[in-house]
């Protein structure tokens, strides 16, 4: 089993969907990634920052899931990063109602000493310079660095983002972001251009339409489980990334064949995440449920045509 | 091997895409369905109508593919159905530039005597009354009736459409049409409502995002092959339906497990159809190419997670 470093936000979210509305609840990329990765009982550490307003019970929750939080800085006089958004009826689009950076504005990530030699690094969505700073602190070249990012950084920090992209093995972005990053509409062509930027593996997330994994001329397509209803999509992409990274860290097998399984695990965990508000479903998820849903994924996609 | 009756248009299409523009070329639902089904060397007959302006070489082309065209009426003084459309840059949306019904306006389909006992009937997109007339002519209840339709008939002939839907085993429609037919956004819920209308099997086509097959509480997801470029989407849905119907007619096995394979064959053939204008790619498709692409579909979707 490998050590896993997770960098990303630990935050407050306030969410509105057609099904209801929350007050400030636990959110953040590192939170969702950590909760997903915790399903694999890997030795994981979160690197993040919160304010003095952040409840101890949320920190305990992460700790109790086996996530080392010694790298989560608490700025006593600061306020925790806050995001608020409202989803449209189709659940595929949303309006951001508020983004308060707060302590994130001056975040200087510190990787705990015991994790500076981690084999797997998951760079959750954050300013590319913060992501780079984490990589610079590693004393041994990680076997696998996974980068998640979003269009916001392409708009305002493209050069810095491209510098990080050069240094990672896997990038996970959504379809529109892949198109924006490359200027190509075809995802096949976009993936090839991203390969040329650095990452050997490109994962393109298509929300309800699943995810594509590209490597050289190989491609793998994991569908999303068709759901009766999506209750709250917040954190689904991070949960996917956390499942992906957690599975790879646990198995230690970085082959393309095994990465297919990592994509399936990511999709499986994401399918739970959207069933309830925020982290609620992920906090209460048990291995039996995961096992059952993996079986559903198999039934969903596996066929048996005789090719002679 | 079963006999297959195909009803649908045999037509002229004029197509504009970002890649180019055609004059009037061979098109029509029954044409694309027939070409796809011909890959399985089934005993198939097309039921359709053309005008005196329809070239003999197009009829010969269908004949030479082994499709019985004795049910294709030639109205010497009439003109063939003509459709013209322009695709937008994303290839997912299009404007209809012209629709000239011509001989289709008074089409009275006649099923050839030898095919009135066919086991499989593929009702291609046409007025629901025409589809119903074909069913009424069958002297033996077919083992499997597959219906393709479109939003146009939901707008102008919903009652007639629902009467046909009651009588079919499988319906193939796209995601937006499934939503329109049921008033449900979730495709899972939409499929359940369509089950209640009659069909035991519901296939929802999602274009570049693949296709879903629903049956009772089972669901199967066949992705579309990620392509570098889609040259012309015209006929892709009909080709999917033709591959689906042709495979079922050939194998005679109407189990859910085998229907998964039918969906994969449909997706495979549709992935060829979009590579060139109109029918060009399908006319020149050879079994070796199909075999190779089925292998690609397997690599695209199959994984091997040990579930203990």
């Amino acid at each position: 089993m490998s050590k896993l470093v997770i960098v990303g936000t630990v935050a407050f979210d306030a969410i509105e969907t057609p099904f209801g509305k929350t007050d400030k609840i636990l959110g953040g990329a590192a939170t969702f990634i950590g909760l997903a990765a915790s399903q694999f009982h890997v030795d994981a550490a979160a690197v993040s920052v919160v304010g003095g307003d952040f409840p101890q019970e949320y920190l305990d929750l992460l700790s109790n899931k086996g996530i080392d939080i010694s790298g989560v800085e608490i700025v006593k006089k600061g306020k925790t990063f806050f995001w608020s958004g409202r989803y449209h009826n189709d659940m595929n689009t949303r309006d951001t109602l508020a983004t308060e950076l707060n302590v994130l504005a001056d975040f200087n990530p510190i990787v705990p000493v015991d994790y500076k030699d981690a084999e797997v690094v998951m760079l959750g969505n954050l300013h590319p310079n913060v992501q780079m700073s984490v990589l610079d602190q590693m004393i041994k070249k990680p076997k696998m660095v996974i980068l998640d990012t979003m269009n916001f950084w392409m708009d305002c920090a493209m050069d810095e983002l491209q510098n990080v992209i050069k240094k990672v093995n896997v990038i996970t972005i959504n379809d529109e972001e892949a198109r924006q990053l490359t200027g190509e509409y075809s995802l096949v062509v976009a993936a090839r251009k991203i390969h040329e930027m650095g990452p050997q593996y490109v994962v393109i997330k298509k929300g309800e339409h699943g995810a594509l994994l590209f490597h050289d001329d190989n491609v793998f397509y994991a569908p999303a489980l068709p759901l009766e209803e999506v209750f709250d999509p917040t954190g689904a992409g991070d949960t996917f990334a956390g499942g992906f990274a957690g599975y790879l860290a646990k198995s230690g097998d970085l082959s393309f064949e095994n990465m297919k399984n990592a994509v399936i695990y990511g999709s499986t965990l994401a399918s739970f995440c959207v069933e309830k508000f925020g982290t609620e479903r992920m906090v209460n998820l048990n291995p039996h449920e995961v096992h059952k849903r993996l079986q559903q994924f198999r039934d969903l996609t596996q066929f048996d045509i005789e090719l002679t």
Side-chain angles (χ1 to χ4, degrees), chain A:
Chain A
M1 191 182 305
S2 311
K3 283 192 238 181
L4 170 65
V5 167
I6 298 162
V7 60
T9 53
V10 172
F12 289 127
D13 286 346
I15 301 157
E16 277 185 60
T17 80
F19 300 103
K21 195 175 162 171
T22 71
D23 290 327
K24 283 189 177 182
I25 58 173
L26 174 61
T31 304
F32 284 104
I33 292 168
L35 288 173
S38 74
Q39 287 291 326
F40 303 96
H41 307 288
V42 290
D43 185 1
V47 175
S48 192
V49 63
V50 295
D53 58 346
F54 197 72
Q56 184 63 39
E57 63 168 293
Y58 286 169
L59 292 171
D60 292 345
L61 189 157
L62 294 174
S63 265
N64 291 338
K65 291 287 180 184
I67 301 158
D68 183 304
I69 56 164
S70 62
V72 179
E73 185 190 356
I74 303 172
V75 179
K76 289 236 165 97
K77 292 187 177 165
K79 286 179 70 183
T80 300
F81 172 60
F82 171 63
W83 175 82
S84 172
R86 182 191 294 132
Y87 289 89
H88 302 164
N89 278 327
D90 68 3
M91 287 292 194
N92 287 320
T93 48
R94 68 186 185 190
D95 296 323
T96 291
L97 303 177
T99 307
E100 298 172 13
L101 284 184
N102 299 329
V103 293
L104 208 62
D106 304 308
F107 177 37
N108 185 22
I110 307 291
V111 179
V113 174
D114 286 353
Y115 290 86
K116 284 181 189 282
D117 60 350
E119 290 87 351
V120 181
V121 176
M122 174 72 232
L123 302 173
N125 175 41
L126 266 180
H127 193 295
N129 286 349
V130 173
Q131 296 176 320
M132 186 67 99
S133 163
V134 167
L135 288 188
D136 288 342
Q137 292 172 54
M138 303 305 289
I139 54 169
K140 235 174 64 182
K141 189 179 158 70
K143 278 208 241 168
M144 173 126 324
V145 179
I146 305 153
L147 172 82
D148 192 47
T149 187
M150 68 183 293
N151 50 359
F152 181 76
W153 309 115
M154 297 174 197
D155 294 332
C156 72
M158 187 58 126
D159 288 349
E160 296 91 328
L161 178 59
Q162 288 190 324
N163 284 337
V164 184
I165 289 177
K166 270 185 208 152
K167 295 188 174 269
V168 309
N169 306 94
V170 186
I171 185 171
T172 72
I173 47 178
N174 75 32
D175 41 4
E176 284 318 309
E177 289 158 357
R179 287 173 175 137
Q180 180 173 348
L181 186 59
T182 60
E184 294 288 343
Y185 184 80
S186 158
L187 297 178
V188 176
V189 180
R192 190 185 309 134
K193 283 204 171 178
I194 298 172
H195 280 318
E196 287 164 8
M197 295 177 189
Q200 303 96 291
Y201 299 93
V202 176
V203 177
I204 298 181
K205 299 175 286 184
K206 306 202 300 169
E208 62 168 325
H209 303 302
L212 289 161
L213 166 68
F214 293 91
H215 173 59
D216 292 338
D217 289 332
N218 300 310
V219 53
F220 176 67
Y221 193 147
L225 200 70
L227 297 170
E228 283 213 20
E229 73 184 23
V230 169
F231 192 80
D232 171 20
T234 310
D238 295 318
T239 300
F240 175 91
F244 181 86
Y247 178 78
L248 288 180
K250 184 191 176 193
S251 68
D253 172 357
L254 305 176
S255 67
F256 182 70
E257 282 309 309
N258 195 52
M259 218 170 277
K260 291 181 180 181
N261 294 346
V263 169
I264 293 292
Y265 267 100
S267 299
T268 299
L269 294 176
S271 77
F272 286 107
C273 178
V274 303
E275 291 181 344
K276 299 210 168 162
F277 269 129
T279 58
E280 189 181 344
R281 190 67 180 90
M282 296 310 293
V283 167
N284 295 304
L285 188 60
N286 71 53
H288 177 69
E289 293 170 313
V290 175
H291 183 275
K292 208 171 142 190
R293 193 153 293 181
L294 281 169
Q295 185 64 56
Q296 278 181 274
F297 259 91
R298 191 142 76 174
D299 294 343
L300 180 69
T301 56
Q302 304 304 284
F303 59 86
D304 188 22
I305 288 180
E306 271 182 52
L307 293 179
T308 48

